[in-house]
Amino acid sequence: MRILITNDDGYQAKGLKVLVEIMKQFGEVTVIAPKKHQSGMSMAVSLGFKQIAHKDLGDGWHYVDATPASCVKFGLNTLFLDNYPDVVVSGINHGSNASIASLYSGTLGAAAEGAIYGVKSVGLSINTHHPDPDFTQIEPHLRKIIANAMDQELPQGVYLNVNFPAIPAGEIKGIKIAKQGNGMWHKEFEQRKDPYGRHYYWMTGNFKDLEQNPENNGDHNLMDQGYITIVPHKIDTTCYATMEQLENGWEL
């Protein structure tokens, strides 16, 4: 199996290194990761406003001075141009990409880019921003998830969003197929002062849980309960019910 790996924390992140070692058990790994931290980039691409630097680091590792989606786009149009990889795996991200975070995530933007090209794609995250988290609880579950993902067909344009709770292995309750959780951040900007007395704004905020049905819990709540969550996302974001409503109800 030929595997393309990327992330949004940059090529030196621990989560990326851990993922590479795990994925080596499945096949031939090529890493094309951003040169520097690229969180919150979603599917942003590095257009022709500046040159894109690429460096071959050896042993199948590369960095590109570009966004995560651009790293996948670069790989599929250069190193894998004549033969796409079997899977694109993005992560392991330092920080949850459950609920509404999935819309902003550079980790998932890279997975979405792979899905556009028809390549099976998976984004992986752990629910902590610690630069040196404990990943030991992830490996046995990740091996099972990847094995299942490779054995089963996914519809065109669908990619998987996997989130791991940052808890000891013995406290993980299992794996749940879930829906994207309903929530948002509010009070997202905090005014601060630098050492020179100049005011600036820092993006922060508190997460507000908007789930209405506890029996159909979103991925963020299931993860808080100790479950690994898997949400299938898709490129096509059309609301077909509203499309039909507009066609039948609007006078155009």
Side-chain angles (χ1 to χ4, degrees), residues 76-115:
L76 298 180
N77 285 277
T78 57
L79 277 67
F80 293 96
L81 180 59
D82 298 321
N83 188 12
Y84 288 162
D86 299 293
V87 63
V88 170
V89 188
S90 181
I92 302 169
N93 186 66
H94 295 233
S96 166
N97 276 316
S99 186
I100 203 70
S102 62
L103 299 182
Y104 304 105
S105 167
T107 301
L108 293 179
E113 187 67 34

Side-chain angles (χ1 to χ4, degrees), residues 46-147:
S46 305
L47 299 174
F49 303 118
K50 68 171 188 176
Q51 296 174 327
I52 296 177
H54 159 255
K55 185 171 183 179
D56 187 340
L57 301 168
D59 198 26
W61 282 70
H62 306 255
Y63 77 58
V64 179
D65 191 8
T67 65
S70 292
C71 289
V72 174
K73 191 181 291 289
F74 175 86
L76 298 180
N77 285 277
T78 57
L79 277 67
F80 293 96
L81 180 59
D82 298 321
N83 188 12
Y84 288 162
D86 299 293
V87 63
V88 170
V89 188
S90 181
I92 302 169
N93 186 66
H94 295 233
S96 166
N97 276 316
S99 186
I100 203 70
S102 62
L103 299 182
Y104 304 105
S105 167
T107 301
L108 293 179
E113 187 67 34
I116 287 176
Y117 280 80
V119 180
K120 193 169 291 185
S121 300
V122 182
L124 306 167
S125 307
I126 186 171
N127 189 25
T128 176
H129 288 282
H130 195 285
D132 188 24
D134 180 8
F135 287 101
T136 56
Q137 77 276 28
I138 286 180
E139 181 170 0
H141 300 288
L142 180 55
R143 292 180 65 184
K144 184 187 302 183
I145 290 168
I146 294 297

Side-chain angles (χ1 to χ4, degrees), residues 1-2 15-16 24 28 49 62 68 92 96 108 140-141 145 158 173 178 200 214 226-227 230 237-238 244 246:
M1 183 164 63
R2 299 164 73 240
L16 178 66
K24 281 181 179 178
E28 178 187 349
F49 303 118
H62 306 255
I92 302 169
S96 166
L108 293 179
H141 300 288
I145 290 168
V158 171
K173 295 180 180 178
Y200 65 96
Y227 291 98
I230 305 175
T237 60
T238 307
E244 183 177 354
L246 300 182

